[in-house]
Amino acid sequence: SFYYMKGSCSPLNITPLYALSGLLLTDSVVFSVTSCVTVVLLQCSEQYFFLILDSFNDLYTSYVIFCILLMSVVILVISIFNVEFYAVVPSIPCSRLALIGKIIHPQQVIHSVAHAVMGMLVAWCAAVMTKGKFQFLAVPCTPSESLDDAVPQMCLNEHHLFFLLSGAFMGYSYSLLYLINNMNYLPFPVIQQYKYLRFRRSLPLLVKHTCVESLYFVRNFCVTYYFFGYIPKVWISTTMDLHIDSKLHPLDTLTGLLDLSLFYHAWLCGVFLLITWYIVFLCFALYNTTSDPTFAEETDQCLPKILNSNPPLIIKFLALQDLMLLSQYSPVRRQEVFSLSQPGGHPHNWTAISRECLSLLSDLTQRLIAQQEAAAANGRAKQPAGELKVTPQTPGMSNIAPRASMSSLVKSSLMPLKTSPGSDVGSPFSSPALSCKMGILDVNSPWHGSVQSSQVTRRGPKLWTSGSGRDSSTALEAVQPRVIYTWLQNKQQQNALISSQHPEASIQAVFSDAQMHIWALEGLSHLVAASFTEDQFGVVQTTLPAILNTLLTLQEVVDRHFKLPHVSSKPPRISGSLVDTSYKTLRFALRASLKTALYRITTVFGEHLNAVQVSTEHKKRLQQFLEYKE
Amino acid sequence: LIVNSSPPKLTSEDMIAAFSQAVDWAGCTIRAFAWHPHTSKFAVALLDDSIRVYNSNSATIPSLKHRLQRNVAAMAWKPLCASILAVACQSCVLVWHLDPTSLSTRPSSGCAQVLSYPGHSPVTSLAWAPSGEVLLSASPVNTAMLVWDVSTENCVQLQWFGGGGVTYLAWSPDGSKVLAAAPSAVFRVWEAQMWTCERWPTIKGRCQTGCWSPDGSRLLFTVLGASVIYSLSFSEYRGEMQGQVGGSKTASIVADLSETTFETLYGEERIGGEIHSMVWDPTGERLAVIIRGKKEVLQTVIAVFRTRNSPVFELLPCGFLRGECGAQPQLIAFHPCFKKGALLTVCWSTGKISHIPFFFMSAHVPCTSSSPSPVIASTSVCE
């Protein structure tokens, strides 16, 4: 159905979406390139200070210009990799096997190789600009005492080689850390700030982090070089026909590696490399997750359209973030949401927005119910023995009130779900005794071989968003890893350690895109609360029953989900780290914002909510909210 | 002769006592007080580092204790929530998740979430966003103000240079601005959308206390050592001014509370002095101020003013409140949703808490609440 708003956004005009995403990405690339060139120039200016003291060397200046150009190329390549690999939903490997599969994935191999090559180029630039003993790969050998050798031979400068290899190693380590820490995941910030302020406020932490990380990388590289340094040495000297200088100490010995100046230069090179790459990453992350006020004006009229179509995931995220902001801060835009179309008088904007938000939330409800049923079925397949081990992590856990009729209500309000044959879904949730039994699932035991485990682990590959973030349907890419996955699993059926599911990771995987739902909840509840005073045509009132129904159902399902093992325990928090791990605790944020959304609606409407048509069960729960007893 | 003297270091207790809104934080039984924003429930922090929660609908009085809960400086209930209480402690911020229907008198320590950040201690002030999403915490020794997302335990540090830490926080009821007072002669007003700030240097001393009008357009504040109330107005928040606080150029003096002699039925009375703390009721019609008289010469009294914010700002004296013989007012707070006017709660140095009603018809209804108003107890009121 076509609908037009003020300042029309015709449904056939799809270019704004891609132009917008392109604009965001080019913006960030340009910004990061210019900032890194500035950093590089500052580095060079330090070199220039010493150059003034030396004699002016034409060759050296051309070297410097070439290095700057090379650095820009490196930064451009890194930016392109950031663009290709980013995701707004983290891909969480649910078992060690999945993690290994992720590492040997071809895309990751390309990423690592490219970064290693880039690292080598950066190290070469640094070596060239440092001058001294690092500058050239081939140097004349130290002349021998005997007068037999009249022709000076060229020897391999091991220091230069060490530098290049350390650069390659650091590039590879950066790529590995990028994968393990889910750095391709762009977290959205807790509070809105201007991009420049966010950048400035992150700089001190960034500098401290890179200094420490560079230290670890150099240490690891020294160990690697000690054991394997002879391989590249021999290979280079044979291919380039260079001799190994026997007069100098070889570097792959303890005495060779204990050279402080070498360590210092390698560390400095590492700091330079990591700072430039992290600044590029930071600029990219900041640009793509901060909503610009000007962005809001451009997409103002297209917001419902974006939500209803199927855009790239980041556009959908930004649209929902925009919805959240407009619902809180923009009375003018809220009026537009509550407006009626001309001449028909239909509330198209509100219908589109509320329908999309409610479908998002219902989808999450279904997903959670499916996982709970899988866990329940698996729990009954095993023979639980021993004493009950229920650890109340959250307050109120001791008040497990038997809600026998709740499960039937949940089922009736959603589409009928497929259940495995022979399992009776209603029973685990009707008696407290059985729900406590679920708490003693032995999660360390192997899950391989049983029907239930493959049902659960099969969900794993679907969540892999590795690859271009533009493609929201990863079905095609998921097939290949799944084949490898099942093959490996069949091969190693006895090895329980590798194939066992990591419980915390699988819990995080279910809630990996919860940020969308959190914004949908906030946006929807703020709009409903504002409609109490601002809605002139009563467009919101008619949808109130559906909204309350969805929210209350979701809240019930989430509360029940938190009674499953491990869900309510918080992963340890590492403060002061550059890497954002907020995806690990998204489920807590979802639960809190769901409750706040419900309270927001009940606080504003108060006793008027008693006139809204909802089921008796939901009426009772609404009364609890009105009395602040939830 | 060289005398080596270093300035005496302030201990945490001294700092909290100096910056607390309580008149005698170190010696009095009651250290902090907080009304729940929607129901008739309040929390009281006591000298023995425990917190008691009183509810007009329930006879149970839960007592909250935790090994990290020491030297409580401030408390704040989370808005749009049944019972989550944030407590500013010596070394961290504790967030208690209480069960609103529980009859337990000793909730376990497991109900408390610990939010700590290196270098952020003691915590002297807390403020929840009125929409309930983030919690601000402030410490006088840390130049960063922390913005906590409590459920994920993530925090963003808002840092600046110069001026020391933050001693007092006040969030405007409409959610648009935050007052952050520093130990030096400067305070900042932040706008809560894009988190930019305006810097306001004061002439005489640090900002002692401040309160906002209900629509966030006016800030009343006092300066340490002075007896005047200043007013600062802000352009009305329309949502389209991103990144601008919108404060006017200068603050104006609206009241002078220096020593004056009053003729009363009981004879001459000298009242006046420094202002210690100030609260404005949610309808914007009554302002209560604790005036700290000089010790042994003048008593500490509470002055109440009738106020109006629109169309023009008006501040008229209403009367004074004095307690029983020997009782000094310690803390004051207005009930967040008293439907019949305004309800002022006073915590006295004797350990008594009294609620004084002001009945009037107001154009503004503070909030809708289904719980009935509490039974009122009052002490002597002189008009």
Side-chain angles (χ1 to χ4, degrees):
Chain A
S1 64
F2 298 122
Y3 42 85
Y4 295 90
M5 290 141 276
K6 266 197 318 199
S8 68
C9 174
S10 125
L12 295 171
N13 186 10
I14 57 169
T15 48
L17 293 176
Y18 289 98
L20 214 53
S21 59
L23 188 71
L24 282 172
L25 300 170
T26 28
D27 254 4
S28 69
V29 168
V30 164
F31 190 92
S32 50
V33 167
T34 46
S35 64
C36 287
V37 168
T38 320
V39 168
V40 166
L41 281 173
L42 286 171
Q43 289 266 49
C44 293
S45 64
E46 212 188 272
Q47 299 291 333
Y48 270 118
F49 177 71
F50 296 110
L51 199 62
I52 291 167
L53 303 179
D54 288 337
S55 58
F56 193 82
N57 192 344
D58 283 307
L59 195 63
Y60 190 73
T61 32
S62 68
Y63 256 126
V64 165
I65 294 170
F66 180 67
C67 282
I68 292 176
L69 285 172
L70 195 61
M71 283 296 301
S72 311
V73 168
V74 165
I75 287 168
L76 205 65
V77 172
I78 300 288
S79 305
I80 292 172
F81 269 98
N82 277 340
V83 166
E84 286 302 308
F85 275 74
Y86 82 97
V88 284
V89 172
S91 63
I92 300 161
C94 290
S95 62
R96 283 188 192 83
L97 197 62
L99 182 64
I100 293 170
K102 224 173 146 183
I103 293 176
I104 63 175
H105 196 259
Q107 276 190 339
Q108 181 57 35
V109 171
I110 296 173
H111 189 267
S112 306
V113 165
H115 277 76
V117 168
M118 295 299 128
M120 197 181 288
L121 287 176
V122 173
W124 182 83
C125 290
V128 155
M129 297 209 285
T130 314
K131 288 173 83 172
K133 59 183 174 179
F134 297 105
Q135 198 168 10
F136 299 108
L137 187 63
V139 289
C141 299
T142 50
S144 60
E145 294 294 322
S146 66
L147 300 162
D148 295 341
D149 305 318
V151 181
Q153 294 170 323
M154 296 304 282
C155 277
L156 174 68
N157 182 3
E158 202 173 353
H159 293 272
H160 188 93
L161 182 68
F162 183 87
F163 235 63
L164 291 184
L165 292 174
S166 80
F169 183 82
M170 289 201 200
Y172 179 72
S173 307
Y174 173 86
S175 165
L176 213 60
L177 273 184
Y178 186 90
L179 170 76
I180 293 173
N181 288 336
N182 266 316
M183 270 169 70
N184 63 330
Y185 165 63
L186 298 182
F188 284 83
V190 173
I191 56 175
Q192 299 293 310
Q193 292 177 72
Y194 285 115
K195 288 185 266 282
Y196 170 65
L197 286 177
R198 267 179 81 189
F199 180 74
R200 202 182 65 186
R201 285 164 185 166
S202 321
L203 267 184
L205 182 65
L206 186 137
V207 171
K208 193 184 86 163
H209 179 90
T210 51
C211 291
V212 169
E213 201 168 83
S214 179
L215 211 63
Y216 283 120
F217 284 172
V218 173
R219 180 202 66 179
N220 294 347
F221 176 68
C222 287
V223 169
T224 321
Y225 193 79
Y226 178 75
F227 288 112
F228 303 109
Y230 68 93
I231 301 172
K233 239 195 322 188
V234 165
W235 182 72
I236 296 264
S237 56
T238 41
T239 34
M240 291 181 64
D241 197 26
L242 296 168
H243 297 267
I244 295 180
D245 200 333
S246 48
K247 298 284 187 298
L248 300 172
H249 260 132
L251 277 181
D252 58 345
T253 57
L254 267 177
T255 40
L257 283 173
L258 283 177
D259 184 359
L260 257 178
S261 117
L262 180 73
F263 198 88
Y264 170 72
H265 280 102
W267 173 78
L268 207 60
C269 166
V271 167
F272 173 61
L273 183 148
L274 289 172
I275 279 189
T276 41
W277 289 5
Y278 274 123
I279 285 181
V280 170
F281 169 73
L282 192 67
C283 291
F284 177 73
L286 286 180
Y287 249 80
N288 286 315
T289 58
T290 311
S291 89
D292 217 332
T294 53
F295 174 81
E297 269 128 47
E298 283 164 24
T299 57
D300 186 25
Q301 290 88 3
C302 303
L303 186 63
K305 200 190 144 321
I306 292 173
L307 290 177
N308 276 324
S309 60
N310 205 13
L313 212 55
I314 187 165
I315 298 290
K316 194 155 187 179
F317 264 67
L318 288 172
L320 281 167
Q321 188 186 43
D322 183 48
L323 174 70
M324 187 263 295
L325 292 172
L326 87 83
S327 65
Q328 286 188 56
Y329 298 115
S330 269
V332 171
R333 296 181 71 202
R334 283 201 293 265
Q335 272 308 308
E336 236 173 274
V337 172
F338 299 141
S339 62
L340 299 175
S341 67
Q342 307 282 348
H346 300 290
H348 289 302
N349 295 348
W350 172 251
T351 313
I353 288 175
S354 63
R355 188 175 52 207
E356 179 56 34
C357 292
L358 291 180
S359 76
L360 258 178
L361 297 171
S362 305
D363 175 62
L364 178 66
T365 313
Q366 287 191 16
R367 230 193 297 160
L368 289 178
I369 289 181
Q371 218 204 23
Q372 285 167 21
E373 286 174 358
N378 198 47
R380 261 173 289 110
K382 314 210 92 35
Q383 288 306 313
E387 68 284 357
L388 291 164
K389 204 172 58 164
V390 177
T391 50
Q393 291 285 344
T394 53
M397 273 274 284
S398 43
N399 303 343
I400 300 177
R403 292 177 176 176
S405 53
M406 280 301 168
S407 56
S408 58
L409 182 77
V410 167
K411 279 189 74 67
S412 62
S413 60
L414 297 169
M415 304 284 283
L417 300 164
K418 277 196 296 192
T419 58
S420 48
S423 71
D424 180 16
V425 186
S427 53
F429 303 121
S430 59
S431 66
L434 268 174
S435 66
C436 283
K437 258 195 195 166
M438 273 164 49
I440 59 164
L441 276 179
D442 188 3
V443 290
N444 286 324
S445 67
W447 285 37
H448 58 272
S450 62
V451 176
Q452 285 79 16
S453 73
S454 64
Q455 182 191 15
V456 175
T457 54
R458 202 181 293 130
R459 230 172 257 117
K462 201 166 74 172
L463 293 168
W464 285 13
T465 56
S466 60
S468 166
R470 294 179 201 279
D471 194 359
S472 54
S473 66
T474 55
L476 204 59
E477 291 154 5
V479 169
Q480 231 183 352
R482 188 168 58 178
V483 166
I484 299 172
Y485 181 93
T486 43
W487 175 76
L488 279 171
Q489 200 185 25
N490 288 334
K491 265 240 169 241
Q492 298 178 25
Q493 272 204 354
Q494 276 77 43
N495 198 340
L497 195 64
I498 289 181
S499 63
S500 66
Q501 276 255 335
H502 191 248
E504 172 68 26
S506 54
I507 292 163
Q508 286 170 18
V510 172
F511 289 98
S512 54
D513 62 347
Q515 183 65 67
M516 273 203 298
H517 303 94
I518 294 171
W519 282 333
L521 283 167
E522 286 179 16
L524 203 60
S525 62
H526 272 112
L527 283 170
V528 171
S531 78
F532 191 72
T533 45
E534 293 177 12
D535 183 13
Q536 296 166 348
F537 306 110
V539 303
V540 174
Q541 278 183 24
T542 47
T543 53
L544 259 183
I547 293 173
L548 287 174
N549 193 30
T550 313
L551 291 183
L552 286 167
T553 312
L554 178 60
Q555 201 232 346
E556 185 195 332
V557 171
V558 166
D559 278 346
R560 203 181 307 145
H561 202 84
F562 267 78
K563 295 195 166 88
L564 293 179
H566 296 280
V567 184
S568 53
S569 54
K570 279 206 169 85
R573 179 173 75 99
I574 318 154
S575 67
S577 156
L578 193 66
V579 177
D580 190 299
T581 52
S582 59
Y583 64 87
K584 293 186 180 170
T585 45
L586 270 176
R587 59 187 186 272
F588 300 101
L590 178 73
R591 183 174 59 159
S593 91
L594 180 54
K595 214 170 227 187
T596 308
L598 275 162
Y599 268 116
R600 191 170 289 130
I601 298 175
T602 56
T603 306
V604 165
F605 280 80
E607 296 297 330
H608 298 292
L609 276 183
N610 291 328
V612 177
Q613 297 293 325
V614 284
S615 65
T616 37
E617 276 303 331
H618 281 168
K619 241 198 220 309
K620 273 191 221 153
R621 299 203 44 235
L622 272 180
Q623 191 57 34
Q624 296 277 86
F625 272 96
L626 286 170
E627 292 172 7
Y628 294 90
K629 286 202 173 121
E630 268 291 323
Chain B
L1 187 67
I2 302 166
V3 179
N4 193 0
S5 64
S6 53
K9 267 192 118 177
L10 276 178
T11 61
S12 304
E13 281 96 351
D14 295 333
M15 260 194 278
I16 301 175
F19 300 127
S20 163
Q21 294 291 294
V23 173
D24 178 21
W25 180 87
C28 183
T29 330
I30 301 176
R31 286 190 151 172
F33 181 88
W35 270 111
H36 189 276
H38 308 292
T39 57
S40 290
K41 181 157 72 174
F42 60 82
V44 183
L46 305 171
L47 188 63
D48 63 352
D49 293 330
S50 71
I51 293 175
R52 300 235 185 108
V53 178
Y54 292 85
N55 192 338
S56 70
N57 297 330
S58 150
T60 333
I61 303 172
S63 172
L64 311 175
K65 286 194 174 137
H66 195 279
R67 63 179 175 85
L68 291 176
Q69 189 174 285
R70 285 178 292 113
N71 293 336
V72 174
M75 293 185 297
W77 291 93
K78 181 175 172 181
L80 299 179
C81 199
S83 56
I84 292 183
L85 178 70
V87 182
C89 307
Q90 164 80 35
S91 54
C92 61
V93 175
L94 277 181
V95 181
W96 285 92
H97 296 257
L98 302 171
D99 181 6
T101 53
S102 159
L103 296 171
S104 152
T105 50
R106 276 297 293 269
S108 82
S109 304
C111 301
Q113 203 183 348
V114 180
L115 301 176
S116 67
Y117 191 80
H120 198 74
S121 84
V123 185
T124 49
S125 191
L126 291 173
W128 284 98
S131 54
E133 279 140 15
V134 294
L135 170 70
L136 282 181
S137 76
S139 171
V141 299
N142 194 355
T143 51
M145 194 165 74
L146 296 182
V147 184
W148 291 96
D149 178 6
V150 174
S151 47
T152 57
E153 297 187 10
N154 285 338
C155 70
V156 176
Q157 310 123 53
L158 294 174
Q159 203 143 21
W160 58 86
F161 301 103
V166 177
T167 57
Y168 178 68
L169 288 170
W171 207 311
S172 68
D174 68 333
S176 60
K177 291 179 275 289
V178 182
L179 164 74
S184 59
V186 71
F187 66 88
R188 286 178 180 83
V189 178
W190 295 82
E191 52 86 19
Q193 192 183 349
M194 300 301 283
W195 294 96
T196 56
C197 72
E198 271 182 10
R199 205 171 151 276
W200 288 87
T202 65
I203 305 165
K204 293 195 178 143
R206 64 175 175 85
C207 172
Q208 164 69 20
T209 184
C211 51
W212 291 93
S213 66
D215 61 356
S217 65
R218 190 170 294 274
L219 170 69
L220 295 179
F221 66 94
T222 66
V223 161
L224 184 72
S227 321
V228 295
I229 301 178
Y230 295 93
S231 153
L232 192 56
S233 65
F234 293 84
S235 35
E236 217 184 301
Y237 189 71
R238 280 262 139 237
E240 266 67 34
M241 323 164 15
Q242 283 108 353
Q244 293 169 56
V245 181
S248 56
K249 295 278 180 250
T250 50
S252 51
I253 296 178
V254 291
D256 186 347
L257 301 175
S258 30
E259 276 181 39
T260 332
T261 314
F262 286 88
E263 294 283 344
T264 67
L265 295 169
Y266 309 100
E268 264 192 11
E269 301 245 15
R270 283 186 69 78
I271 300 177
E274 291 174 17
I275 299 170
H276 189 88
S277 74
M278 197 160 60
V279 286
W280 208 337
D281 96 292
T283 58
E285 304 239 359
R286 293 288 186 276
L287 182 77
V289 178
I290 294 186
I291 308 174
R292 208 173 179 168
K294 289 204 198 69
K295 284 198 173 72
E296 282 120 32
V297 177
L298 296 169
Q299 270 201 327
T300 305
V301 295
I302 301 172
V304 181
F305 295 88
R306 229 175 263 139
T307 60
R308 193 168 59 171
N309 203 22
S310 65
V312 287
F313 177 68
E314 216 174 61
L315 187 82
L316 300 168
C318 185
F320 296 99
L321 284 170
R322 201 185 290 148
E324 301 161 342
C325 204
Q328 308 272 355
Q330 172 82 338
L331 285 160
I332 45 175
F334 274 106
H335 191 290
C337 41
F338 185 67
K339 286 185 235 170
K340 299 185 185 134
L343 183 74
L344 177 67
T345 304
V346 186
C347 303
W348 301 96
S349 55
T350 51
K352 276 207 185 142
I353 299 176
S354 49
H355 310 280
I356 298 113
F358 296 88
F359 296 107
F360 53 86
M361 301 291 290
S362 168
H364 306 278
V365 181
C367 67
T368 56
S369 154
S370 57
S371 59
S373 306
V375 174
I376 311 299
S378 61
T379 55
S380 64
V381 177
C382 322
E383 283 261 345

